[in-house]
Amino acid sequence: DGGTSETPPWYPHVNRISSLTIGEGVTRIGDYAFMLCSFVTKVVIPESVTSMGDWAFWHCQSLKRITFPDRMVRFGEWAFYENESLQSVCIPEGVTTIPSSAFARCHKLTDVTIPDGVTVIETGAFPSYLDMAVVTCLAVIPPELGKDNFGLPAKILYVPAGSVEVYRKNAVWREAFETIAALP
C-alpha cells in the first residue's frame, strides 16, 4: 500500500484463494491488495474498514457480490475493474465519489444502488456498453453526473418519488434509461 513495491505474502497463492476475510480493526484495504484473486467468490469486510485503495480487487472475476461496511467513505479508482461476475453493488451512505473506472468492465453488473450522499460520479465509473437492469438513486443526482457513466440504455432507474418528473424531463437521463420510476 502507499506506493511501496512490497508484494503481499498471499500473492504467490492467488489462484488457490476462494474467500477473503479481512480482520476487524483493519481500517484500509491497500492499493492492489487482492488484485488477480480470480477465484475469490466471497469477501468479508469488517465495519472497521473506511477506505479502499486503487485496484484493490482488480480482476477478481469470480466475485458476484460485495457488501461494503456502513462506515466506508472511499474506494479507489479501478477498485473492481474487470470483475466479470459482479452482479450487484450497493454503494455505502458515506461515499461521496464513485471514482473513475471503479466498476469498468464488470460485464454482469445489473443492479446498482447509489445513496443520496454521492455528489460525483467520475467518467467511466460504470461499464459503458452493457444493459444494467436496475440503477437506484436514493436522491436527485444532477444529470451531468450520469452523463457517460452508465450503460446505454439501461433498463430502469429508480429515483425518489418527488423527483421522477425532473429525471424524465432531462435528455441525459431519458437517453440513459428505458424507464424512470419512483422508488418501490
Side-chain angles (χ1 to χ4, degrees):
D1 186 25
T4 68
S5 59
E6 293 181 30
T7 302
W10 54 84
Y11 187 72
H13 310 287
V14 294
N15 290 327
R16 294 191 302 244
I17 300 171
S18 61
S19 69
L20 298 168
T21 300
I22 298 164
E24 186 62 48
V26 172
T27 59
R28 183 175 194 281
I29 298 170
D31 296 342
Y32 309 99
F34 301 107
M35 70 177 201
L36 299 174
C37 289
S38 301
F39 298 103
V40 167
T41 58
K42 181 180 179 183
V43 175
V44 178
I45 303 174
E47 282 300 315
S48 58
V49 171
T50 59
S51 68
M52 173 185 308
D54 297 343
W55 302 85
F57 290 93
W58 170 59
H59 204 66
C60 291
Q61 59 188 0
S62 298
L63 186 62
K64 292 182 181 180
R65 286 179 174 61
I66 189 156
T67 302
F68 299 108
D70 293 335
R71 294 179 49 196
M72 182 166 278
V73 295
R74 181 192 179 279
F75 51 94
E77 292 183 359
W78 309 86
F80 296 93
Y81 183 76
E82 286 188 343
N83 283 12
E84 296 172 357
S85 296
L86 192 62
Q87 298 171 353
S88 177
V89 172
C90 183
I91 307 297
E93 288 290 328
V95 171
T96 59
T97 299
I98 301 174
S100 174
S101 301
F103 298 98
R105 300 195 69 180
C106 293
H107 304 301
K108 294 184 180 176
L109 187 60
T110 58
D111 187 0
V112 177
T113 301
I114 300 171
D116 59 0
V118 170
T119 56
V120 177
I121 301 174
E122 293 182 356
T123 302
F126 295 99
S128 60
Y129 52 86
L130 82 152
D131 290 337
M132 296 174 90
V134 179
V135 174
T136 302
C137 296
L138 301 179
V140 177
I141 294 180
E144 61 272 13
L145 294 184
K147 186 172 174 39
D148 301 325
N149 293 310
F150 294 103
L152 300 174
K155 305 275 189 247
I156 300 172
L157 172 64
Y158 286 115
V159 298
S163 64
V164 172
E165 287 309 309
V166 172
Y167 279 88
R168 287 182 180 163
K169 288 179 182 178
N170 187 280
V172 170
W173 295 111
R174 273 197 325 267
E175 291 174 19
F177 296 93
E178 292 176 8
T179 302
I180 299 173
L183 287 165

